Amino acid sequence: MIRQILGGTLALATAAAIGLAPAQAQPQDVTVGFVLPLSGGSATIGNQTKLGAQVAAEQINAAGGIASLGGAKLKLIFADSQSKPDIGASETERLIQRENVSLLVGAYNSAVTFPASEVAERYKTPWIVTGAVKDEITERGFKYVFRPNNKATYDAREQLDAMDLLKKETGKGPSSIGLFYEGTDWGRSHAANIKKFAKERGYTISLDESFPPNQVDFTAQLLKIRASKPEALIVVAYTPDHLLFTRQYFENKINIPYGIHSVGGGSEDPSFYKAVPQKAVDYLFVQEDWQIDRLKTDKDPRVLDANTRFKAQAGYDINSYGAQGISNVYLIKDVLERAASTDREKIRDALAATDITSGMPLIVGYQRIKFDEQGQNTFGHGVISENIGGERRTIWPSANRAPDTKPVWPVPDWSAR
């Protein structure tokens, strides 16, 4: 032992004598767990979120990592929920207990996020919600769950706000609305909020139809839609069901005067647009979780670099879910810089104190990220796009609408297209 100590002392003295500083220990990586649907019906969306997160981590690590932790690098660990609540919960526990992650992000599907985030809360591990909008996720009095994105209430309000704006601008608009939604937490939550807001604003609900996920035929439901004659139809569906519905709706040529209004999900997935004819999505309104036409005017070199990296692997530009992955990881960087620690409690406190008004965490289009006492970012919002001339163009809010964007309202009958 004495020899070891003397040897170490001699080595330090020798290093000092020749002008070399003693070797510094490398900072440990910060491990961040992601629970996402990487297989199954929501796999394309889960993998888009994953890619966005990886792109952001590459940028951050290449720029020096987390300065307050001595340049520590971010290490992302991904777990596959398969869109199943029980698997999402068990994978959350594995990431916390075995991988010893400092914090978690997940899980897109509301039905997975709800129980999985409860596991994180039980283990006092910070959880950043990505994509999931079920209102109750941030209405349980939890201390460790934070959601930067919209909740279902906000999504529903935005869809009706857009209709009201177009009605104000043109003097024309629907009086009746149909609801067609998938029957899990997300769809039911959104439908309940639409019905609440519709009643307040004087709209009648002419159709209230839910369906189990992963349908093989929508013929019966399309007959109900045709018979109920909604003047506008709100659709809530993940990618596989949105694809099938859109194809069959297009084949049946049902006229809905003020169009189909999708609350994202499948209609924000680039694979959806590759799999259906353009005419099937002409004049489709989508509640987007990021401004889809932003890249045309954005000059931020980090955004452009992120898009180059994302497109090189995905084959298309950043979309809503890629942008959310990027935003999540840059939010984590901001939090870690302020926490200056990988301790879960200190990270939780830094999350609670977050107030971001600029930078890459806002890539999705928010003006601010600041959490209320329940962990909800009250400044989270999306935009409404309309597919015009083969492009999704932002039409709401009007402040985000490009000068050359002219909404088509009402939409043409099929016979006139």
Side-chain angles (χ1 to χ4, degrees):
M1 176 65 73
I2 293 172
R3 184 178 297 171
Q4 289 176 342
I5 294 171
L6 289 172
T9 303
L10 180 60
L12 288 171
T14 303
I18 61 175
L20 296 176
Q24 297 295 317
Q26 290 295 316
Q28 288 190 338
D29 293 340
V30 182
T31 56
V32 181
F34 279 75
V35 181
L36 294 169
L38 303 178
S39 63
S42 300
T44 54
I45 290 169
N47 281 287
Q48 289 156 10
T49 307
K50 176 183 177 181
L51 178 55
Q54 290 172 320
V55 164
E58 287 173 6
Q59 289 183 312
I60 291 166
N61 289 342
I66 309 302
S68 70
L69 294 174
K73 301 296 190 284
L74 295 177
K75 179 183 178 182
L76 311 186
I77 301 176
F78 295 93
D80 183 8
S81 72
Q82 303 174 37
S83 296
K84 298 176 181 177
D86 57 336
I87 292 177
S90 64
E91 285 295 273
T92 298
E93 189 164 28
R94 179 182 68 82
L95 289 170
I96 295 170
Q97 292 284 76
R98 295 186 188 176
E99 301 292 349
N100 196 33
V101 297
S102 295
L103 71 164
L104 289 150
V105 181
Y108 176 65
N109 305 98
S110 288
V112 176
T113 305
F114 195 72
S117 58
E118 186 173 338
V119 173
E121 181 76 13
R122 189 165 69 246
Y123 281 103
K124 297 184 177 181
T125 303
W127 177 288
I128 296 174
V129 176
T130 188
V133 298
K134 180 178 179 178
D135 286 326
E136 291 81 0
I137 290 169
T138 50
E139 294 178 355
R140 295 174 287 179
F142 284 1
K143 289 179 58 182
Y144 294 85
V145 177
F146 299 86
R147 176 164 50 191
N149 60 269
N150 273 15
K151 59 194 292 187
T153 301
Y154 300 177
D155 286 347
R157 186 172 60 223
E158 288 173 11
Q159 285 192 298
L160 294 185
D161 283 350
M163 291 186 199
D164 288 347
L165 174 65
L166 294 173
K167 185 185 291 187
K168 180 180 178 182
E169 289 177 345
T170 65
K172 302 174 183 177
S175 58
S176 66
I177 295 172
L179 294 173
F180 188 58
Y181 53 97
E182 60 89 37
T184 69
D185 286 355
W186 175 41
R188 291 196 303 269
S189 180
H190 189 73
N193 283 313
I194 288 289
K195 285 183 274 191
K196 173 179 175 288
F197 290 131
K199 183 178 180 180
E200 293 172 357
R201 302 185 190 201
Y203 293 101
T204 60
I205 302 298
S206 60
L207 174 75
D208 185 357
E209 181 77 10
S210 68
F211 59 88
N214 302 311
Q215 292 287 295
V216 295
D217 184 23
F218 280 120
T219 300
Q221 291 95 332
L222 286 163
L223 287 172
K224 288 184 180 180
I225 292 171
R226 190 187 293 276
S228 65
K229 298 181 179 178
E231 293 181 310
L233 180 68
I234 289 176
V235 174
V236 188
Y238 292 116
T239 304
D241 288 320
H242 219 314
L243 277 171
L244 179 63
F245 169 77
T246 301
R247 288 183 184 128
Q248 291 190 288
Y249 164 77
F250 177 57
E251 290 165 2
N252 283 269
K253 301 290 193 296
I254 300 172
N255 284 314
I256 300 176
Y258 294 97
I260 290 180
H261 298 252
S262 172
V263 65
S267 60
E268 291 182 282
D269 183 351
S271 68
F272 168 77
Y273 293 94
K274 290 182 178 180
V276 296
Q278 175 57 44
K279 287 186 177 180
V281 293
D282 282 342
Y283 314 112
L284 173 67
F285 295 91
V286 177
Q287 195 278 333
E288 309 267 9
D289 289 311
W290 98 299
Q291 187 161 340
I292 190 66
D293 44 5
R294 170 179 178 168
L295 292 172
K296 292 181 178 180
T297 57
D298 202 309
K299 304 301 182 186
D300 187 327
R302 292 174 301 174
V303 174
L304 299 179
D305 175 67
N307 189 58
T308 299
R309 293 171 186 258
F310 188 92
K311 191 171 185 177
Q313 295 187 58
Y316 46 78
D317 289 332
I318 292 171
N319 70 329
S320 165
Y321 305 111
Q324 287 184 60
I326 293 169
S327 173
N328 296 151
V329 173
Y330 272 98
L331 168 60
I332 288 167
K333 172 179 166 51
D334 179 90
V335 168
L336 290 171
E337 294 288 10
R338 289 183 286 111
S341 172
T342 58
D343 178 76
R344 292 169 179 169
E345 203 65 36
K346 290 180 179 177
I347 292 171
R348 190 225 78 89
D349 291 345
L351 269 165
T354 295
D355 191 358
I356 298 171
T357 57
S358 63
M360 288 294 280
L362 305 181
I363 186 174
V364 287
Y366 317 141
Q367 281 68 49
R368 190 177 186 184
I369 298 176
K370 182 177 174 64
F371 301 108
D372 66 14
E373 67 281 358
Q374 294 271 29
Q376 176 64 46
N377 176 26
T378 56
F379 297 90
H381 70 82
V383 301
I384 306 295
S385 71
E386 184 180 12
N387 205 303
I388 305 169
E391 293 185 359
R392 286 146 71 192
R393 308 290 298 270
T394 300
I395 57 101
W396 180 95
S398 55
N400 292 58
R401 187 191 299 173
D404 63 342
T405 297
K406 305 267 187 286
V408 179
W409 183 263
V411 304
D413 286 353
W414 284 106
S415 60
R417 298 190 191 186

